[in-house]
């Protein structure tokens, strides 16, 4: 497992050496649930930032420290003034880091670019089958929602009947 704190400090030092002024990061989190992203930067109400890094970056030995640092720097650059999107100043700063340190910081990085396979989310199974008692229209839902919980209050868009029945698939 890679040493996150050491990598984070190296990234902060490299960004400062380029003369880039970053925002205040309130919290750093290793996210063990994220499967479709490498990192995330979120601006809090008080103007500080929270950064999450996927645990896969740190735990997978196929992913290099350089690839790990690219993601950390990517997220840190979002804390710079006017850099929450991947345009303008953010892109300029990313290009500066790429040129100076030989990184490949960009908007989206596929798994293959980090040395691992792309994440393929498994298909969710249908959990609810709603059937209109008036016309027989069928609606399939994978997750619970207002409609699946309160189906008796909804009218059918085809026939206007308020006669839904719900079948829950296990």
């Amino acid at each position: 497992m890679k040493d996150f704190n050491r990598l984070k400090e190296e990234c902060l030092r490299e960004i400062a050496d380029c003369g880039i002024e970053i925002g205040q990061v309130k919290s750093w989190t290793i996210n063990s649930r994220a499967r479709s992203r490498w990192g995330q930067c979120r601006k809090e109400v008080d103007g500080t930032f929270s950064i999450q890094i996927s645990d896969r970056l740190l735990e997978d030995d196929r992913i290099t420290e350089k690839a790990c640092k690219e993601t950390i720097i990517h997220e840190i650059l979002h804390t710079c003034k006017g850099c929450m999107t991947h345009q303008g100043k953010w892109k300029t700063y990313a290009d500066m880091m790429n040129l100076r340190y030989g990184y490949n910081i960009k908007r989206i990085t596929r798994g293959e670019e980090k040395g691992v396979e792309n994440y393929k989310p498994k298909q969710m199974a249908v959990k609810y089958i709603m059937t209109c008692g008036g016309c027989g229209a069928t609606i399939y839902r994978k997750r619970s929602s207002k409609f699946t919980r309160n189906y008796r209050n909804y009218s059918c868009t085809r026939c206007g009947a308020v006669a839904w029945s719900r079948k829950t698939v296990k």
Side-chain angles (χ1 to χ4, degrees), residues 21-156:
E21 188 176 324
I22 64 169
Q24 182 183 353
V25 180
K26 179 172 66 172
S27 70
W28 293 87
T29 308
I30 306 302
N31 188 333
S32 61
R33 295 182 65 209
R35 289 291 166 246
S36 60
R37 66 175 181 247
W38 299 112
Q40 180 185 36
C41 178
R42 202 172 67 228
K43 188 171 186 176
E44 303 296 340
V45 180
D46 61 2
T48 62
F49 296 87
S50 298
I51 294 179
Q52 293 182 9
I53 301 296
S54 172
D55 65 342
R56 292 189 313 149
L57 281 173
L58 303 170
E59 293 174 357
D60 197 323
D61 292 332
R62 298 173 295 172
I63 299 174
T64 65
E65 285 193 356
K66 180 181 176 187
C68 215
K69 286 172 68 172
E70 289 169 350
T71 298
I72 295 169
I73 292 169
H74 173 120
E75 300 307 334
I76 294 171
L77 291 180
H78 282 304
T79 70
C80 300
K81 188 172 182 168
C83 291
M84 279 309 286
T85 64
H86 297 107
Q87 303 167 10
K89 283 173 68 177
W90 183 91
K91 183 148 179 37
T92 302
Y93 291 154
D95 291 343
M96 284 172 58
M97 296 299 293
N98 291 340
L99 188 62
R100 182 160 181 180
Y101 295 102
Y103 291 133
N104 185 24
I105 301 167
K106 56 186 188 170
R107 189 173 80 82
I108 296 174
T109 306
R110 294 186 334 270
E112 288 90 11
E113 296 173 80
K114 295 213 181 277
V116 295
E117 63 282 343
N118 271 338
Y119 169 72
K120 288 190 172 88
K122 55 185 175 187
Q123 197 71 359
M124 277 183 76
V126 170
K127 189 170 181 182
Y128 303 99
I129 301 172
M130 318 301 283
T131 307
C132 174
C135 67
T138 306
I139 298 175
Y140 302 94
R141 293 290 182 260
K142 296 179 180 182
R143 292 191 173 116
S144 176
S145 66
K146 284 183 182 179
F147 175 60
T148 61
R149 289 187 299 273
N150 305 306
Y151 61 93
R152 291 180 187 95
N153 301 334
Y154 288 83
S155 61
C156 176

